[in-house]
Amino acid sequence: PKVELQDLTGGRPGSIIETEEELKRKDEIFAELESGERSYDDAKVKIDDYGDPDEDIDGALFDIDDPNALDSSTLGVYNIFDLKSKFDYEWTPESGDPDPNILDPALDYVKEPEKTEEGIEFGWDPIFGSSNPIDTRTVTTPVDSYMIDDQTRDDSLLEPLFPPNDPEISFNEDIVQFRKSMKVIDTFIDPFVGEELPVPRHVAKWHGYPEQMAFPEKNYTNNRFTAPEDLTDFDAMTPHRARVRAVELARAKNAEWLPEGVSEKWHQDQRQPYENHGTLVGTLKKADYIDEEKVNEIQPALDVLKSSVELLSIENDGTVFRFAYHGLMKNKFGMAAWTETLIRDLGVECTGVVFETGFRKRDPIHDGGFGWYGPY
């Protein structure tokens, strides 16, 4: 942007240290001095104590008579407003300028980076990513010098390569067109990169995009499937009722994020294969037959567990025991591991213990003191 340039340093050498607030305050002080509202007392400032730089040349920081000294007036004027200026490579989408990162449709580019036999991009590293200089912004269209390019050259300034009406002209043109049709990537070897990674000479410059400092503003209902007229009006509820309703929606499978019935259908689809094969896993169904001898062997363990479990079936040739678990959900895995230990301590072979809880996923009575836990 064009800004009004001015000397904000007051003629003093060195870097700019004033802020915009300090500059504004300085202008106010100068205006008060000119209007007479502020007086300048030499006795208080004691400006004479600073001495005269022209009289003390040896101790002066700047020698104005030095012929080799740089003249600041020849270096241009730099002020704090230059910090708000924009370099050529900077781009602001809000300004309405065209995106410089868009590829030129008049040129051809590499379709995809080179890959190894395993299908992995050449030079790709799992930590640092891609390192191949030849990427999808590499230009494959041959780029000629401006002196010989058809769009920029001036034949009057060039010495003719062939005499007029020379048959070699058409032959040479065929060779040139054949060379261009091959679309060989013009590369060079960078000593700092190495010979295994040739660097292309012609690439589409990447200007980048401004860093996103915050997420774009969106309506908080933008991800909901519920119609606006069907949304829950929390503003019309009391704080207690609003919290209770929020807990219900958060724990329900059919919250306002999904239409009615979607969650139930998903769970039914997940359960349907087990229903088709008639398996007992995942249900509270009891087996038609339970070996009473095995039950007697594990009876001491059942006496310890008492009413917290109920034996449903014995699977896998009598080594896997299924129980209906009635205890707290937070203790489910620990109780299953302890039950397996109790059975093994009795000398009974046990390869696993399964605790079935059906559709119960939490403890209503102990879960925040509120008994509602959703339609499961």
Side-chain angles (χ1 to χ4, degrees):
K2 294 183 179 180
V3 296
E4 182 181 357
L5 300 179
Q6 54 182 331
D7 187 5
L8 303 181
T9 64
R12 300 185 302 277
S15 60
I16 300 174
I17 59 174
E18 293 92 346
T19 62
E20 295 186 12
E21 291 77 8
E22 292 174 343
L23 295 174
K24 182 179 179 181
R25 180 57 182 161
K26 184 173 68 174
D27 294 339
E28 294 176 354
I29 294 175
F30 283 136
E32 293 176 358
L33 290 173
E34 294 178 359
S35 62
E37 298 180 6
R38 179 187 292 266
S39 60
Y40 189 78
D41 190 353
D42 291 341
K44 293 182 179 180
V45 177
K46 297 182 181 181
I47 194 172
D48 295 336
D49 294 343
Y50 288 95
D52 188 355
D54 294 336
E55 296 178 358
D56 190 9
I57 298 297
D58 296 335
L61 296 177
F62 300 94
D63 186 0
I64 58 177
D65 297 329
D66 186 0
N68 297 324
L70 295 176
D71 186 1
S72 61
S73 61
T74 62
L75 302 178
V77 180
Y78 176 80
N79 55 55
I80 198 171
F81 293 104
D82 288 325
L83 300 177
K84 298 182 178 181
S85 301
K86 188 172 60 174
F87 292 98
D88 295 337
Y89 57 83
E90 293 181 314
W91 170 64
T92 305
E94 292 78 8
S95 62
D97 298 334
D99 189 350
N101 299 310
I102 299 177
L103 299 178
D104 186 359
L107 301 176
D108 295 331
Y109 301 89
V110 174
K111 299 300 180 182
E112 62 177 358
E114 182 182 359
K115 297 182 179 180
T116 61
E117 296 179 355
E118 292 79 10
I120 302 175
E121 180 180 338
F122 182 74
W124 186 84
D125 185 87
I127 298 179
F128 301 101
S130 178
S131 62
N132 189 0
I134 301 178
D135 55 9
T136 55
R137 300 187 69 85
T138 302
V139 179
T140 59
T141 302
V143 180
D144 293 327
S145 170
Y146 73 95
M147 298 183 63
I148 61 176
D149 188 84
D150 295 336
Q151 299 180 356
T152 57
R153 72 179 182 181
D154 187 355
D155 294 335
S156 63
L157 301 178
L158 298 175
E159 182 179 353
L161 298 177
F162 302 96
N165 301 325
D166 192 328
E168 291 291 337
I169 296 178
S170 60
F171 296 154
N172 183 73
E173 184 64 23
D174 293 340
I175 295 176
V176 172
Q177 295 300 327
F178 176 74
R179 176 182 59 83
K180 292 183 177 181
S181 65
M182 297 178 63
K183 295 185 178 181
V184 178
I185 301 176
D186 188 9
T187 61
F188 66 94
I189 300 300
D190 189 335
F192 295 98
V193 177
E195 297 182 357
E196 63 277 2
L197 291 177
V199 181
R201 294 186 184 275
H202 307 290
V203 296
K205 185 178 180 181
W206 175 253
H207 297 264
Y209 292 96
E211 181 181 1
Q212 185 177 357
M213 305 304 296
F215 290 105
E217 294 292 338
K218 291 185 178 180
N219 192 329
Y220 72 98
T221 62
N222 66 317
N223 288 332
R224 296 186 176 179
F225 295 91
T226 307
E229 58 272 13
D230 297 333
L231 288 175
T232 302
D233 188 6
F234 288 97
D235 297 333
M237 301 180 184
T238 62
H240 173 72
R241 179 55 191 163
R243 180 186 180 279
V244 171
R245 181 57 179 163
V247 171
E248 293 177 358
L249 294 177
R251 294 176 179 174
K253 292 297 183 183
N254 293 315
E256 291 182 347
W257 298 97
L258 294 174
E260 187 73 22
V262 172
S263 183
E264 282 90 343
K265 184 178 182 304
W266 184 86
H267 283 284
Q268 291 173 1
D269 294 340
Q270 296 294 315
R271 180 63 195 169
Q272 193 58 39
Y274 300 94
E275 298 293 342
N276 294 339
H277 291 82
T279 60
L280 299 177
V281 178
T283 70
L284 296 176
K285 298 178 181 180
K286 288 187 176 182
D288 297 334
Y289 170 77
I290 299 179
D291 189 354
E292 291 296 335
E293 184 178 349
K294 282 287 184 180
V295 175
N296 295 330
E297 292 179 1
I298 66 171
Q299 189 60 46
L302 297 179
D303 294 339
V304 175
L305 299 172
K306 295 185 178 180
S307 62
S308 62
V309 298
E310 179 184 358
L311 184 62
L312 297 178
S313 65
I314 302 177
E315 309 291 341
N316 196 22
D317 297 332
T319 60
V320 176
F321 300 86
R322 287 179 60 249
F323 296 91
Y325 176 65
H326 304 294
L328 295 177
M329 291 297 295
K330 64 180 182 179
N331 300 330
K332 176 182 175 182
F333 292 101
M335 288 289 292
W338 184 44
T339 302
E340 185 175 347
T341 301
L342 291 177
I343 296 175
R344 288 179 177 176
D345 290 344
L346 296 174
V348 180
E349 182 181 2
C350 178
T351 59
V353 171
V354 179
F355 273 12
E356 303 283 7
T357 57
F359 292 103
R360 183 166 65 98
K361 299 180 182 298
R362 56 178 59 89
D363 304 314
I365 298 178
H366 303 278
D367 193 5
F370 193 61
W372 191 93
Y373 59 92
Y376 294 114

